[in-house]
Amino acid sequence: MADLADQQVVDAGIDEPIKKLTVDRIEKVILRVLKKESAARLKVYLETCVHCGLCSEGCHTYLSRDKDPDFAPVAKVKDTLWEMVKRKGRVEPEFIKKCARIAFTECGACRRCSMYCPFGIDIAYLIMVVRRICSLLGVVPQYLQDTTNSHAVTSNQMWVQPDDWIDTLIWQEEDAADELAGVRIPLDKEGADIMYSVIGPEPKILAQLLANMAIIMKVADMDWTMPSLDGWDNSNMAMYSGDFEVMGRVERLHWERAMSLKVKRVVMGECGHAYRGAVYDGPKWLGWKRPPIKMVHAVEFYYDLIKEGRIKIVRKIEGPVTVQDPCNIVRGRGLHHKLRYLMNALCEDFRDVDPRYEHNYCCAAGGGIINCGPPWKLSRMKSIRVKAEQFAATGAHTIVTPCHNCHSGIEDIIGHYHLDMHVSFISEMLIKCMDKGEEVAE
């Protein structure tokens, strides 16, 4: 059965709101979601599933917890959404508390399990329906809800104020110019080829990645810009908290900012969930067929720069290096081959993981899980043992992943499982390996 310790985690975002819920209110919210927001797609999935359990082998949580059937994807849906449907929304507050724990902390909506379903049921979608219900009831892990609140108030995930954003760009432009003469971070350049899009953690805790990109753009001689106003952050954790209204606001602002600058394309930094929000979930909620401007993920961008000769690789990273496939750009975009091209171009001893590509295990950080915060960290570590074993088997000393959530989640895995490894973004390796020309600052 499910771990009792996980069930006893104290989280004010879940524990306090359920004290105010009534069965009538719960019923009203559940029926609203089931009848007005889900419709035929939900009905087809629920009626198609034969409860065979073949999805189980696709779930890292199930595998890491010694194949406890309570953690199988089919069980997660059975214990939450199916029960809501069966009881026509008449469920108790304690049941909603269990649903929140399962939907937010035991499933990252990575969609790996759907590849093992003989009918191709999108189990992640079913879990997201549960999250949506919990969100409308105000039952969301406190730390995850805080990121949604930040999006609602500041239009970014990390409570970054407008002056802090500009100051950080100026600071990183100066740092980049110290390494390569003439580097600039152009702001609000109308008609540029590229608007570079980042996520909240970059100016807050990983500002050096902005300098890295400025250097890469300079070396590649790209016509690019960044926005000075809100809309620069595309991380959109509201997508995973179930607050789709805020999710829509974030995506609309992001795309309106790009359109106001009249750029030809948007290059998304090394983030998987931001790409998913901008290209798939966000536009879908807004009723758009597709984003108004083409978006290119960093993996595709780096690949093109090297293939087209805009950047020349003159040295390689020494020692064994392995890679993590971010779910939202591999299962969701199919960038595994381009990611391997980059690894082989930058590393002298690249060691792939097994399983790999779209079959690679989720890192158990994306999908909002890591954003549930410290109360759920131990639970998350229990659910990702297979990932630690997979990395250890490569014998690598560096794990590369083009995704912020993967980066943070894998750092946690390394620490918890005592792996002698460290994590790197692709841009960090590219800066070390590429020819920067003759303008290197003295």
Side-chain angles (χ1 to χ4, degrees):
M1 62 183 296
D3 195 321
L4 184 61
D6 296 341
Q7 299 179 41
Q8 294 176 337
V9 170
V10 175
D11 188 320
I14 295 175
D15 300 337
E16 294 305 314
I18 66 165
K19 297 176 182 178
K20 303 174 184 178
L21 293 181
T22 65
V23 173
D24 287 342
R25 185 185 170 204
I26 294 170
E27 177 187 21
K28 183 178 179 180
V29 167
I30 291 175
L31 293 181
R32 167 191 161 176
V33 174
L34 297 184
K35 294 184 176 182
K36 295 184 178 181
E37 293 186 9
S38 304
R41 184 182 183 188
L42 176 63
K43 180 178 175 65
V44 168
Y45 285 159
L46 293 181
E47 292 184 356
T48 301
C49 181
V50 295
H51 309 186
C52 66
L54 291 176
C55 57
S56 302
E57 293 295 327
C59 180
H60 59 268
T61 305
Y62 169 81
L63 297 174
S64 296
R65 292 180 179 253
D66 301 321
K67 299 189 176 182
D68 182 337
D70 282 356
F71 292 96
V74 65
K76 295 170 190 174
V77 177
K78 177 179 177 294
D79 291 343
T80 57
L81 190 57
W82 280 338
E83 194 67 20
M84 293 180 190
V85 172
K86 177 182 175 183
R87 296 168 61 179
K88 298 181 181 179
R90 297 290 293 180
V91 296
E92 301 75 23
E94 280 298 322
F95 175 81
I96 294 298
K97 179 179 180 179
K98 180 179 77 170
C99 289
R101 188 196 78 240
I102 293 172
F104 287 111
T105 75
E106 295 175 7
C107 175
C110 76
R111 292 194 167 111
R112 188 175 191 265
C113 58
S114 296
M115 299 194 308
Y116 294 79
C117 172
F119 303 105
I121 295 171
D122 188 350
I123 300 166
Y125 163 76
L126 299 178
I127 292 296
M128 290 302 292
V129 171
V130 179
R131 290 192 186 190
R132 173 64 172 166
I133 290 168
C134 289
S135 176
L136 290 173
L137 290 169
V139 183
V140 178
Q142 185 176 29
Y143 281 79
L144 179 57
Q145 183 60 47
D146 183 65
T147 63
T148 300
N149 295 343
S150 180
H151 278 305
V153 175
T154 67
S155 298
N156 68 79
Q157 181 194 152
M158 305 291 285
W159 299 95
V160 177
Q161 300 303 310
D163 55 340
D164 292 332
W165 167 242
I166 300 300
D167 286 348
T168 301
L169 293 180
I170 294 172
W171 160 40
Q172 287 308 303
E173 180 182 81
E174 292 171 350
D175 278 6
D178 286 342
E179 182 169 342
L180 182 64
V183 172
R184 298 298 303 273
I185 297 181
L187 293 182
D188 300 332
K189 181 181 179 182
E190 196 170 297
D193 177 49
I194 293 168
M195 183 183 93
Y196 183 56
S197 173
V198 301
I199 71 171
E202 292 203 16
K204 193 74 171 183
I205 56 176
L206 289 163
Q208 70 273 16
L209 298 182
L210 294 165
N212 288 350
M213 185 53 68
I215 294 170
I216 290 168
M217 293 289 192
K218 170 67 175 176
V219 171
D221 192 26
M222 305 306 294
D223 177 22
W224 72 298
T225 191
M226 296 188 76
S228 64
L229 302 173
D230 289 342
W232 56 266
D233 179 16
N234 193 34
S235 50
N236 209 338
M237 294 313 302
M239 170 176 60
Y240 287 130
S241 75
D243 191 334
F244 298 160
E245 288 78 13
V246 171
M247 173 186 73
R249 284 172 50 197
V250 171
E251 296 306 341
R252 184 184 293 278
L253 179 60
H254 177 265
W255 287 116
E256 286 178 348
R257 188 67 64 220
M259 288 188 288
S260 71
L261 292 175
K262 299 181 175 63
V263 296
K264 297 178 179 64
R265 55 179 173 156
V266 175
V267 171
M268 178 68 237
E270 296 182 45
C271 183
H273 69 276
Y275 189 86
R276 174 174 173 172
V279 177
Y280 304 114
D281 290 23
K284 191 183 305 177
W285 177 258
L286 292 168
W288 301 350
K289 288 185 178 180
R290 62 185 66 86
I293 299 172
K294 180 181 180 181
M295 174 172 274
V296 178
H297 188 269
V299 167
E300 299 174 275
F301 184 59
Y302 301 149
Y303 173 87
D304 289 339
L305 292 182
I306 295 175
K307 288 284 284 188
E308 294 169 5
R310 286 183 169 271
I311 283 181
K312 294 180 174 58
I313 304 304
V314 293
R315 61 188 64 84
K316 291 194 175 187
I317 301 297
E318 298 179 356
V321 178
T322 191
V323 71
Q324 165 65 1
D325 293 289
C327 302
N328 290 309
I329 67 164
V330 171
R331 273 190 286 281
R333 181 67 180 89
L335 295 182
H336 44 283
H337 291 307
K338 290 184 178 181
L339 180 54
R340 288 336 185 265
Y341 175 88
L342 294 173
M343 291 301 95
N344 284 299
L346 299 173
C347 308
E348 66 176 18
D349 183 8
F350 171 59
R351 302 181 183 184
D352 216 336
V353 288
D354 180 29
R356 61 179 183 169
Y357 299 166
E358 69 270 26
H359 294 281
N360 201 345
Y361 299 123
C362 174
C363 67
I369 296 185
I370 197 170
N371 296 82
C372 291
W376 299 99
K377 182 177 178 180
L378 181 57
S379 173
R380 178 162 52 90
M381 291 300 98
K382 292 176 186 176
S383 296
I384 203 57
R385 188 187 71 228
V386 293
K387 188 85 232 180
E389 294 169 349
Q390 180 196 39
F391 283 143
T394 66
H397 65 48
T398 300
I399 303 166
V400 177
T401 181
C403 176
H404 283 268
N405 276 340
C406 292
H407 193 279
S408 299
I410 292 170
E411 283 185 329
D412 286 343
I413 292 171
I414 289 171
H416 183 81
Y417 287 97
H418 307 292
L419 304 179
D420 186 17
M421 297 174 163
H422 72 275
V423 195
S424 175
F425 290 100
I426 296 175
S427 70
E428 294 174 310
M429 304 181 73
L430 197 53
I431 290 294
K432 296 176 182 177
C433 296
M434 69 183 186
D435 182 3
K436 299 185 184 69
E438 298 179 358
E439 294 183 273
V440 176
E442 296 297 331

